[in-house]
Amino acid sequence: MASTHKATLGKQMNTREVSDSAVAMLDDQGTVLGWTRAAERLLGHPAGDVVGRSAALVLPSSEEAPTISAFVERCRAQKGWSGTTAVRHRDGRTLTVSLRMSMVWGQDGAVRWLVSVTDTRKLSQEAMNGSVRESLLTRAPIGIVVSDPQLRCAWVNDTMESHDGVSRDQRLGRQVADALPGVEAEALEAVLRQVLRSGTTRVHEFWRWVPTTSRQERVLAASFFCLLDAEGQALGVCAISVDVTENRRAHERLAILTEASTRLGGTLDAMQTSQELVDLAVPLFADFAFVDLEHSVPSGEGPPVRVGPIGERLPVFRRAGLASIRQGVPESPWGRGEPVPVPPSAPFTDVLRTGRSHLEPVLDTAPGTWIDQDPVRARKIHENGIHSLMVVPIRARQVLLGVAVFIRTADPTPFQENDLLLAEELVSRAALSLDSARLYAREHATALALQRNLLPQHLRGGTAVEAASRYLPADLDIGVGGDWFDVIPLSGARVALVVGDVVGHGINATAAMGRLRTAVHMLAEMELPPDELLTRLDDTIQRLGEGAPDTPGQMTAVTGATCLYAVYDPATRKCAMARAGHPPPAIVDPRGRVVFPDLPAGTPLGIGTGVPFEAVELELPEGSLLALYTDGLIETRDHDIDAGMHRLGTALAQPRRSLEDLCTRVMETVPGQAPSDDVTLLLVRTLSLSPTQVASWTLPSDRSSVRSARHMAARQLAEWGLDDLEDATELIVSELVTNAVRHSTGPIGLRLIQHQALTCEVFDTGDCLPRPRRAHPTDEDGRGLLLVAQLSRRWDSRPVSGGKVVWSEQDLGPAHTRGPEARRPHHGSGIARGRQWLEAVFGTRRRPATALDSTGAGHPAERPPEPAGACTTRPG
């Protein structure tokens, strides 16, 4: 009989006497058989006055039950009674109490009544919350066992069987050890003997029972009463128990959730939050747990997966959290961070489709189930004794973040609905943190993508400079800021060097930086000198400020910025630079001497003072080192700018090191604590063109200069071995020099530069920049610059001191970019493109424009004169 259940003794509470409830036992005629000291304290009658007498001594009659026997008969018909009634105190007072009559059974079907009386006026709020006491005041089921002085069960009610799984027949006449064998029964007997010896009115205990019939643990709260006979001797002990399993589980759930509120979501790292979730679940209510996150949650990349139908293509998951009661987590085939396949027929798939949890108290491992189609998981299930599982979707704002799975292996108790409610509540709390982590990861990924796209990934210095850079944002969490730098190739092998700093940090500063960087690129394409470029940039910022949005949350306009802009020409080794409130550059000559040139400081951009910017031109020895930086590199909370500049100069005073080494060396001088401002460093080492790479001439402003320029260019190309570019270059030179003759009065300069491309530059004293125009089919001219554009990879003009320069660039071709073996005519050369263009415009093959007459002018010779002072783009 004893094999039908197992009992486990739980935590024992403090022993204490209470006087707010009284217990007595009556026979079937209403005669008092047992009395307690609590009853004596409440009603004033000692046991000798009432035991053996009718309960009518203390229970007054009523119309419904004029006698005590009638009252007992009424209770028998209703199988008990509870309610509020009046009782008589020994001193004659009438007390209003809560009374409960409970039927108990003995051997041979004998019936007795257990009476509990409670004076509700004296109950404190704490007493009202007692489990047994609360049940005595209501009709909640209570279990009753009355034992004799030998601790044999003499009386029991029917409710007790549902508490511990022991039937009435199995219990009556037997001691506790016979009905509930084991160490737990011995502990219970010790409590009963204590009550008998001391005559204690009530002792509170918590007992845990696990009937094998249900395999579900039950938690009982019990109170013990010593029954006295007429002589005041112990007649037996009465145990009244209440099933507080749900209350206990509610308290345990509350404790777990309280702990979850302190342990979950302390970081915006989705992987860490997932691990915190499973660490909390194991071993509190699961033996093994894991969290699989949809791949976009930790990375922030990719569209979110919505809760609902998922189609044929399942989301991609990665294992983010893993915990087990076993060392090494042998239950999991996949480690943290590894992708996890989802079998189409598994319960996980239904959870993804419906967004509802899946509870499988007893895992079905029979043939034909989904486990057969997943041999990897099947092997782990059988090896580790996995027998019960819960799958809970992790979702927030209709976005599926992942799934949390809770499994039992060593604990034989299956998961129940209450376990699922706890798991869902726990997961819902984690989901809030995971969703915040997802949004943060998306913002971080967006910010980094924005930063990557806004800052140059490869610095192209061409034949002008070698370059290297470093960038350290003040906001290390987001990783973006308002600093920017650039090396912008310009015409004639020149480069523009720029470093800027937008006020503020974070994503808004990054967005503002992107707008300024774009503006600088556009202005650099206009080939403006540094001081004029900063003036235009200042105007741009002020216009952006005028159109700033007033709506909260929208991106604010640029409120201020500093900038240093420089242009270096490797042909002359001259560098022109200007700054707008920005720190001056550091210049290191080839011998390691460091100077910070005295440049006019200028006002920060966007201030609107109207003070013009000033540019300074310096000649740099070949191999000079320029360091452009932002103030975050030299200015800290604890040191002034002078100390920072000295630190920078010391780190740079070894110019023979590689640029990467120098960058690292400089960044190591930044104080160890998190920077209070973005730190940017751009290092360039100047190069220079060999005199043999540059050829220049000065020509008079007359028509004969056209033929001379063409012939000189052809001879220079022959010296450089660029014969395959001769035809196209002669045509370009002819057109550009002809326009210079027609629209300027001073001397004309012609320069050819061989670097990574072939550049042709023509200088004249005119201040009107050329622009192409559309010529009609009947027009004899107006196609010169269009022809130049066809023969060049790019062309433009730039203002210079005393006039302007019109330039054109041509690719050197395979013969000069891939070695001598490739030196052969190639399709798409400049002259070929020019001929194709001529045929397309005129609809017939005609003599190329390189065939000029003896005066140097192009065909047709009979051109009408241009109006005086006209600025056109017609070919010469």
Side-chain angles (χ1 to χ4, degrees):
M1 296 298 181
S3 62
T4 60
H5 61 271
K6 180 181 74 173
T8 304
L9 181 63
K11 180 180 179 181
Q12 180 175 330
M13 297 182 64
N14 294 330
T15 302
R16 59 179 181 141
E17 289 194 12
V18 294
S19 59
D20 50 41
S21 294
V23 171
M25 177 173 275
L26 311 180
D27 65 10
D28 203 26
Q29 301 301 316
T31 302
V32 178
L33 301 178
W35 197 248
T36 62
R37 291 179 181 176
E40 179 180 352
R41 284 191 293 268
L42 177 62
L43 301 176
H45 294 281
D49 290 350
V50 293
V51 175
R53 301 177 63 182
S54 173
L57 178 66
V58 293
L59 294 176
S61 61
S62 64
E63 295 181 0
E64 295 82 2
T67 64
I68 189 63
S69 59
F71 179 65
V72 171
E73 193 62 32
R74 178 185 172 193
C75 293
R76 177 188 288 273
Q78 298 177 354
K79 295 184 178 180
W81 184 90
S82 65
T84 302
T85 187
V87 295
R88 282 190 295 264
H89 194 274
R90 184 182 184 187
D91 61 10
R93 290 180 292 124
T94 299
L95 304 177
T96 301
V97 298
S98 174
L99 184 143
R100 179 165 181 166
M101 297 279 290
S102 303
M103 182 185 295
V104 292
W105 299 87
Q107 290 180 331
D108 301 327
V111 174
R112 294 290 183 266
W113 294 92
L114 192 77
V115 183
S116 63
V117 181
T118 305
D119 186 356
T120 57
R121 294 175 303 172
K122 296 182 179 179
L123 288 177
S124 64
Q125 185 62 38
E126 179 183 358
M128 288 292 290
N129 290 334
S131 300
V132 176
R133 191 177 300 107
E134 185 179 353
S135 298
L136 291 175
L137 292 171
T138 65
R139 295 189 64 88
I142 59 174
I144 301 174
V145 176
V146 180
S147 302
D148 62 18
Q150 288 73 41
L151 301 184
R152 293 188 299 260
C153 177
W155 307 94
V156 65
N157 72 341
D158 292 335
T159 303
M160 198 62 206
E161 182 177 355
S162 66
H163 285 180
D164 58 14
V166 181
S167 68
R168 185 197 310 173
D169 294 338
Q170 291 172 331
R171 193 188 306 268
L172 287 171
R174 291 183 174 88
Q175 291 185 329
V176 176
D178 296 329
L180 303 171
V183 178
E184 296 81 5
E186 295 177 3
L188 181 56
E189 280 191 352
V191 174
L192 296 175
R193 294 186 188 280
Q194 178 189 2
V195 174
L196 283 173
R197 286 194 307 268
S198 63
T200 304
T201 302
R202 187 179 300 182
V203 177
H204 286 255
E205 296 286 339
F206 275 104
W207 307 85
R208 293 183 184 271
W209 306 96
V210 187
T212 56
T213 54
S214 66
R215 298 181 65 193
Q216 184 174 359
E217 183 182 73
R218 311 299 299 176
V219 181
L220 305 180
S223 293
F224 302 89
F225 304 84
C226 182
L227 295 173
L228 305 176
D229 59 15
E231 285 75 29
Q233 299 299 312
L235 179 66
V237 60
C238 172
I240 300 178
S241 62
V242 179
D243 189 339
V244 293
T245 304
E246 296 305 321
N247 290 341
R248 174 62 57 171
R249 288 177 178 173
H251 285 295
E252 291 174 349
R253 288 196 296 269
L254 180 61
I256 293 175
L257 295 177
T258 301
E259 186 175 358
S261 64
T262 60
R263 289 178 56 180
L264 290 178
T267 176
L268 288 175
D269 186 334
M271 297 289 287
Q272 183 172 337
T273 300
S274 300
Q275 187 61 40
E276 291 170 352
L277 172 59
V278 295
D279 286 341
L280 187 61
V282 176
L284 283 177
F285 67 95
D287 299 328
F288 167 51
F290 62 84
V291 170
D292 290 342
L293 293 180
E294 196 271 324
H295 78 99
S296 69
V297 175
S299 66
E301 299 178 354
V305 176
R306 299 293 175 183
V307 176
I310 56 178
E312 297 180 357
R313 189 170 185 179
L314 295 173
V316 178
F317 289 92
R318 289 189 179 276
R319 186 134 297 175
L322 204 56
S324 172
I325 61 173
R326 301 179 180 180
Q327 188 72 24
V329 197
E331 303 94 333
S332 178
W334 300 280
R336 290 189 69 202
E338 294 181 357
V340 178
V342 179
S345 58
F348 310 97
T349 310
D350 294 334
V351 171
L352 299 180
R353 290 196 178 98
T354 63
R356 294 191 296 269
S357 301
H358 172 80
L359 169 63
E360 198 163 348
V362 179
L363 183 61
D364 187 3
T365 59
T369 61
W370 65 271
I371 297 177
D372 289 344
Q373 303 178 28
D374 193 347
V376 175
R377 287 183 172 88
R379 178 170 54 84
K380 291 295 183 179
I381 289 173
H382 294 299
E383 288 177 352
N384 297 280
I386 296 174
H387 65 84
S388 186
L389 69 81
M390 298 183 295
V391 184
V392 181
I394 307 175
R395 58 186 187 273
R397 289 194 285 264
Q398 297 301 312
V399 174
L400 180 65
L401 306 177
V403 292
V405 180
F406 307 94
I407 288 173
R408 280 183 177 167
T409 56
D411 186 351
T413 306
F415 285 123
Q416 303 295 327
E417 289 291 340
N418 288 332
D419 297 311
L420 181 60
L421 291 176
L422 173 61
E424 289 178 334
E425 180 65 25
L426 197 61
V427 168
S428 68
R429 298 194 179 202
L432 297 177
S433 299
L434 287 171
D435 190 49
S436 298
R438 176 185 70 90
L439 296 176
Y440 170 79
R442 294 183 69 83
E443 180 179 352
H444 189 215
T446 301
L448 290 180
L450 177 63
Q451 189 81 6
R452 285 194 299 266
N453 287 302
L454 293 180
L455 291 180
Q457 301 303 303
H458 304 287
L459 299 176
R460 298 181 296 132
T463 55
V465 296
E466 298 174 359
S469 64
R470 291 291 187 275
Y471 172 72
L472 178 63
D475 192 340
L476 296 177
D477 291 331
I478 297 181
V480 296
D483 287 6
W484 87 95
F485 58 92
D486 253 320
V487 177
I488 306 173
L490 301 177
S491 63
R494 300 170 307 134
V495 291
L497 310 173
V498 57
V499 169
D501 183 0
V502 174
V503 173
H505 314 294
I507 191 68
N508 286 333
T510 302
M513 173 270 288
R515 302 171 81 178
L516 286 189
R517 181 171 182 258
T518 301
V520 170
H521 266 268
M522 295 179 62
L523 295 173
E525 289 292 327
M526 298 172 62
E527 307 266 5
L528 298 175
D531 53 345
E532 187 175 345
L533 183 140
L534 292 181
T535 300
R536 299 279 189 95
L537 189 61
D538 185 43
D539 294 340
T540 300
I541 293 179
Q542 293 185 51
R543 286 197 302 270
L544 292 175
E546 294 171 358
D550 298 327
T551 305
Q554 295 189 23
M555 186 186 70
T556 57
V558 182
T559 57
T562 65
C563 184
L564 171 65
Y565 186 82
V567 175
Y568 174 69
D569 186 346
T572 62
R573 301 197 313 278
K574 291 183 178 180
C575 182
M577 58 185 70
R579 60 184 178 130
H582 203 82
I587 301 178
V588 186
D589 67 17
R591 289 185 291 179
R593 292 177 298 185
V594 182
V595 296
F596 292 88
D598 186 16
L599 301 179
T603 57
L605 302 170
I607 303 300
T609 61
V611 178
F613 298 99
E614 298 181 53
V616 172
E617 188 174 72
L618 305 173
E619 185 171 343
L620 304 176
E622 182 178 2
S624 296
L625 185 69
L626 271 72
L628 284 67
Y629 52 91
T630 56
D631 55 5
L633 182 66
I634 59 173
E635 186 177 13
T636 65
R637 297 186 181 96
D638 304 325
H639 302 87
D640 58 19
I641 294 180
D642 291 338
M645 295 176 72
H646 175 74
R647 221 174 38 242
L648 173 62
T650 302
L652 294 174
Q654 300 184 35
R656 294 186 180 276
R657 287 177 174 262
S658 70
L659 294 183
E660 291 294 333
D661 287 346
L662 287 173
C663 281
T664 301
R665 181 180 175 87
V666 170
M667 296 303 288
E668 287 175 349
T669 66
V670 178
Q673 69 270 21
S676 58
D677 197 2
D678 303 329
V679 176
T680 298
L681 173 67
L682 173 63
L683 288 184
V684 298
R685 179 172 284 125
T686 63
L687 306 174
S688 63
L689 296 178
S690 168
T692 60
Q693 293 178 269
V694 182
S696 57
W697 303 273
T698 300
L699 306 170
S701 181
D702 58 53
R703 297 173 68 89
S704 63
S705 297
V706 177
R707 181 172 54 186
S708 301
R710 187 177 65 250
H711 291 164
M712 289 185 291
R715 286 196 300 270
Q716 187 61 55
L717 293 181
E719 291 183 15
W720 286 340
L722 301 177
D723 304 86
D724 51 339
L725 298 180
E726 181 179 338
D727 289 346
T729 305
E730 285 188 1
L731 194 149
I732 292 171
V733 168
S734 297
E735 295 294 344
L736 297 184
V737 173
T738 298
N739 276 345
V741 170
R742 293 168 62 86
H743 303 298
S744 66
T745 57
I748 298 170
L750 171 63
R751 185 168 72 162
L752 297 180
I753 306 173
Q754 180 196 12
H755 50 110
Q756 294 177 334
L758 176 63
T759 300
C760 173
E761 296 181 342
V762 174
F763 165 83
D764 64 60
T765 57
D767 57 3
C768 184
L769 300 179
R771 56 183 178 84
R773 69 177 180 86
R774 181 176 295 277
H776 294 91
T778 57
D779 291 344
E780 291 291 340
D781 46 20
R783 301 179 179 85
L785 291 180
L786 294 178
L787 182 58
V788 171
Q790 289 294 318
L791 298 173
S792 310
R793 70 176 186 183
R794 63 177 189 147
W795 76 275
D796 210 333
S797 61
R798 64 177 183 268
V800 295
S801 177
K804 67 176 182 295
V805 170
V806 183
W807 55 268
S808 166
E809 283 185 0
Q810 300 176 77
D811 290 321
L812 295 180
H816 304 278
T817 58
R818 294 181 309 199
E821 69 280 4
R823 187 166 298 179
R824 60 177 63 91
H826 63 284
H827 179 71
S829 64
I831 191 63
R833 291 197 306 272
R835 288 171 175 166
Q836 293 169 2
W837 180 81
L838 286 173
E839 294 172 9
V841 171
F842 292 100
T844 180
R845 297 182 64 85
R846 58 173 291 168
R847 186 180 181 187
T850 51
L852 305 175
D853 60 19
S854 58
T855 65
H859 292 279
E862 304 85 5
R863 287 200 177 119
E866 295 291 340
C871 180
T872 70
T873 58
R874 299 173 182 174

